Structures are given as C-alpha cells and as structure tokens.
Amino acid sequence: MSPERQEVVNRREFLLMVAVVAAGAAILLMVARAGAASIGAMPEIAAAQTTKARPGGGHLYMQTNETRNAIIHYHRSANGALAEVERVATGGAGSGELSPIYHIKRPNDFEGAGSVILTPDRRFLFTTNAGDNSVSSFAVDKEGRVTLLDVKPTGNPTNGGAKSLAYAPSSRTLFVLHTVGPDHLRLMSVNGEGKLTARPEQYSVNTKDWPNRGPTMVVLSPDGKFLVVATAFDELPSRKNPDGSLILWIPRPDGTLHVIVSNAPDPDGIVVFPVGKDGGLGEPSFYDARGAVPFYIAFLHNRPDTFLIGFGVADGLAMGRIDAEGKINVGPIVKIDTSAGLPSEVCWLAVSPDDRFVFTTNFGYSTISSFRIDGNGLSIAKDPASQKVKGDGTFRAIDGVVSSGPSDSWLTPDGAYLYQIYGNASKLVGYATQRDGSLKEVTSVKIPYNSPEGLAGF
C-alpha cells in the first residue's frame, strides 16, 4: 500500500474511532440525565414521552342523535384538544331531545351505551339511529374521515329503541340491542364493503314474569363466545299516576309489589347468550348482578374472563367473572358517596389500558368518580375525580339533583385522556388523567343540546 493510501486509511480509522467515542459519550450523558431526572421528575418525563409517542393525536366520533342524525368527527391533538373535522349525516333519524323512555325532553342517557362503535381493524364505523330503528355503516379512511356506506332498518318495528351495538369479526355479525321488545336483539350481516343485511333472527331478554323488560347495553365477551346484555327495567316506565308521576311499582302475580327496575330483588339482571359460529344466538341464561340496574358492562383489557358493572340504582361498581360455559359470578358492590341523593345513577365505565383504574360516569351528580383495580378487589381512588359540570338548570335526575346529564365516555388507548358527554350542558369535555385517579379538564367543545350519545375513537 502506498504511503498516501495508508494515510487516507489511518485518517478514516481515526475519524471512526472519534465517532464511536462521541456516540458512547452521548449515550452515557443521556443515561445520566435520565437517572437524574428520574428523581422527583417522573410525571414530566412520562408526559414528554407520551407526547412524542403520539405526535398526531387521534380521532373521536360521536352521534348527534338529532332527528336528522349525524356523526361528528373530531381530530384529537397530542395535548388532548379537540377540533371538529366534519359532520356526516347517518341517513337515519335520531330520537332528538325527546327521551323515548321517559317521554319528556331530557338528556338521552338511556339510549347511548355503545351506540357508536368501530370494527377492530378500524375500517368501518357503525351507529344506531334510535328514531327510526336503523343502523348506519361508514368507511373510515387513513385520515380518520368517514363516508356513509349504508343505512338499513333493524327489523324491530317499534321506533325509538335501537341503542347499543356489538360486532363479531369472525362471522361479520352486528348485534343490535333495542329498548323495546320482545325482539330486543336483532342481527345484521356486514359484507367486505361494509354493506348491511338485516337477518331474520330475533331474541328477547324478557322472562316469564316480566314480558316488558328494558335492556341497556350489549357487549361481546373477548373470546367471542358469549353475548352479554345488561338490563335496567323489568317493566318500562310508561305508566303514570293521576298527578303525572311515573308508576315505579308493579304487582306480581301474587299481588305483592315489585319495583320496576331490574335485579331488585329478582336475580336476573344480566342475560348471557351463547354465540354460534354464524353469529346466531342460543338460549339465554339469566344471572344475579348483585344490585339494582346493572347498566354498563366493561371487560378488562388483559383479563378476558373479568368484567366490571356500573349500577344505575345500586350506586357503585362491582367486578364479575364469566367462565368457559358462560356462567356469571359477581362480587360485592363498592359504592360511591351518595350523600347528595339517591340514586346516583353510576352508569358508563371507562377502563384504563393497564386495568389499574376505572372511571364511572355519575349521571345523577354530573361528576365522574375513579376506582382502583387491585387484583380481585376494587377501591375508591377519587370520588369525585372531576368537578361538577353545570347544565342549564332545566333537568333534574331521579335523585332530584339538578344535573347536566353526563352519559357516554371514552378513554384514549394510552389512558392519557378521558372524554365525557354532558348533554344538558351542550358540552363534550376532555380530561387529562392523573396518577392518583383524578381528572384535569383540558378541552371542551360545544355539542347539540341534550341529544348526543355514543363515543368511539382511535
């Protein structure tokens, strides 16, 4: 090798060595800084890492549930802020400001528990249309924008009732729950292009004693083998006293009185259907929810046999399990502070991705509470976890407390932000979740009055 060539090689080796040493020093410096920052500054580091991991934020969808129903698509920034992107008509009718259950103008809480859902691959979005008992299907593009693909009636002839959805990808079956039966559950097939076809099957959650029950939501077990239905009423609150107040007690065949709400005390508030390979359902089984009005059921993310129940009248949260045969067993109820009045109407639930916290929406109090999940136990983390959001003063919940009617909520997949509908306040509020289970408001957008329901996102 010539002296000139050797000099070039030596220079390259020297520069390479300098680069390696510099890189090593940089790594050591980063480790040292991280070690120093870890002492007393973990929240800030975690927040910075979270922000960098989600530079584009995400997307959130809500149905207006107005008589001319529409999906509102929001862009969600990395800091939690919401910005409306578009409103796309569903082609169906919502129930509007008039509650189909109570027959008065009020927040439409009862009609929204899983009324807007995304398929696991996020190709399609489905929404109910409670005003005309139809379902709409949308395509979701890579930017999160939605395009209406189809709208079809469910087959249930009683308008004002389509309310909750569950989807089985294996059979491309959409399960549609209705307030009014006896065909509470109707099925739809979804093809590869998102088109809907109503199926003839129909299923009821009624019992021999109670032929006019009112369910609240439907959820598919994580293994897809069972469809679980939560209930609120053994008889719908449609009859009134001479003074106009609702009749809350109904006679049994033997003449004794029974309150109209479910699982009080009849131990049949949770209904489980086995699911066939084609999506068809087997005979239902009825289980004790351990408390009145098991309104909302949410399975844990990392324990597929374990779920949580929010109780509209039992004022708290319970943990349950479903075994390989679909049998249900529910543990004790942990209650929130009910000094403001009864019932608190603890209904919607949002479970953190690590299964450590669950946030409960308290319809009667206009607040959110948080619980800790510790193995098989539940305990209060923060009650309330948020400040009360005031409505316009025109609505009182069953407990007599003036309420803004909070309903559906949605927690981001990283657990950083919780979004909550307050219908009577015409607000969709976003909160940053805190390590102690409390919530800090970071955004608020105006939404239609009283009617909105359903939240889904990615």
Side-chain angles (χ1 to χ4, degrees):
M1 182 180 296
S2 67
E4 293 80 8
R5 178 61 176 168
Q6 183 65 53
E7 183 180 354
V8 171
V9 171
N10 290 342
R11 186 180 298 118
R12 286 178 178 174
E13 290 178 350
F14 174 77
L15 292 175
L16 178 61
M17 182 178 67
V18 170
V20 170
V21 171
I27 292 172
L28 290 173
L29 181 59
M30 289 172 63
V31 171
R33 286 176 175 172
S38 66
I39 302 173
M42 285 300 293
E44 290 77 10
I45 291 174
Q49 290 174 342
T50 300
T51 300
K52 290 179 180 178
R54 298 179 295 101
H59 304 274
L60 183 64
Y61 306 92
M62 180 190 74
Q63 65 157 304
T64 66
N65 193 32
E66 297 166 302
T67 51
R68 186 177 182 271
N69 200 9
I71 288 290
I72 304 181
H73 167 206
Y74 298 97
H75 178 262
R76 177 174 56 84
S77 298
N79 64 3
L82 295 176
E84 184 173 327
V85 177
E86 57 185 343
R87 295 194 185 198
V88 183
T90 68
S95 54
E97 296 177 13
L98 183 68
S99 167
I101 291 296
Y102 297 99
H103 310 288
I104 58 173
K105 289 187 176 182
R106 53 163 278 164
N108 263 325
D109 58 302
F110 190 75
E111 285 70 52
S115 65
V116 178
I117 64 172
L118 286 156
T119 55
D121 60 8
R122 302 199 297 247
R123 288 186 60 208
F124 303 119
L125 180 141
F126 305 114
T127 183
T128 59
N129 298 297
D132 60 11
N133 278 6
S134 66
V135 173
S136 299
S137 169
F138 294 83
V140 183
D141 69 17
K142 293 181 180 180
E143 283 71 44
R145 291 183 175 271
V146 295
T147 302
L148 180 64
L149 297 174
D150 201 5
V151 55
K152 291 286 174 57
T154 66
N156 182 310
T158 307
N159 285 347
K163 61 189 303 176
S164 182
L165 299 170
Y167 179 68
S170 59
S171 61
R172 288 182 177 171
T173 302
L174 192 63
F175 304 95
V176 191
L177 187 68
H178 301 75
T179 296
V180 181
D183 52 342
H184 295 107
L185 276 165
R186 300 300 296 250
L187 275 57
M188 288 183 157
S189 294
V190 184
N191 71 9
E193 286 71 47
K195 297 290 185 178
L196 305 171
T197 302
R199 290 171 52 163
E201 300 101 316
Q202 51 186 281
Y203 305 91
S204 176
V205 302
N206 289 337
T207 66
K208 181 180 178 181
D209 291 334
W210 310 119
N212 189 32
R213 300 187 87 194
T216 58
M217 79 166 300
V218 60
V219 62
L220 194 66
S221 62
D223 61 8
K225 294 181 178 179
F226 302 101
L227 196 70
V228 185
V229 180
T231 63
F233 298 107
D234 279 340
E235 180 171 299
L236 294 173
S238 56
R239 296 186 298 166
K240 294 185 178 181
N241 293 302
D243 65 355
S245 61
L246 290 169
I247 296 176
L248 301 179
W249 297 85
I250 51 179
R252 297 178 183 272
D254 62 3
T256 59
L257 291 178
H258 169 72
V259 67
I260 66 172
V261 298
S262 67
N263 220 103
D266 293 0
D268 56 8
I270 298 177
V271 190
V272 179
F273 295 85
V275 181
K277 291 183 178 180
D278 65 347
L281 304 180
E283 289 297 316
S285 298
F286 297 81
Y287 295 96
D288 186 3
R290 295 286 292 269
V293 185
F295 188 98
Y296 197 103
I297 293 176
F299 279 88
L300 298 188
H301 301 287
N302 306 298
R303 293 158 60 185
D305 66 338
T306 304
F307 59 88
L308 301 169
I309 309 174
F311 295 88
V313 171
D315 305 309
L317 184 70
M319 182 179 292
R321 280 193 172 80
I322 183 169
D323 67 17
E325 283 73 46
K327 295 180 181 179
I328 295 286
N329 183 48
V330 179
I333 298 173
V334 179
K335 296 192 175 186
I336 66 170
D337 179 6
T338 58
S339 58
L342 295 172
S344 58
E345 296 185 77
V346 175
C347 293
W348 298 263
L349 308 180
V351 182
S352 66
D354 59 5
D355 292 338
R356 292 181 57 198
F357 287 95
V358 57
F359 298 91
T360 67
T361 302
N362 311 319
F363 180 81
Y365 296 161
S366 306
T367 59
I368 301 168
S369 298
S370 64
F371 290 73
R372 287 188 183 89
I373 305 171
D374 184 12
N376 298 325
L378 294 168
S379 62
I380 297 289
K382 289 291 181 179
D383 179 29
S386 66
Q387 293 187 346
K388 184 173 182 176
V389 174
K390 295 181 179 180
D392 67 357
T394 63
F395 172 67
R396 290 181 182 270
I398 297 174
D399 57 14
V401 177
V402 176
S403 172
S404 56
S407 56
D408 293 85
S409 64
W410 183 75
L411 187 64
T412 56
D414 61 3
Y417 299 104
L418 178 77
Y419 297 90
Q420 176 70 62
I421 293 173
Y422 295 91
N424 192 253
S426 297
K427 287 183 179 180
L428 174 59
V429 177
Y431 300 93
T433 60
Q434 308 298 302
R435 291 192 174 190
D436 62 353
S438 61
L439 298 168
K440 179 182 179 182
E441 182 174 335
V442 294
T443 191
S444 175
V445 293
K446 184 176 177 60
I447 60 175
Y449 178 64
N450 273 350
S451 60
E453 65 181 40
L455 287 175
F458 65 92

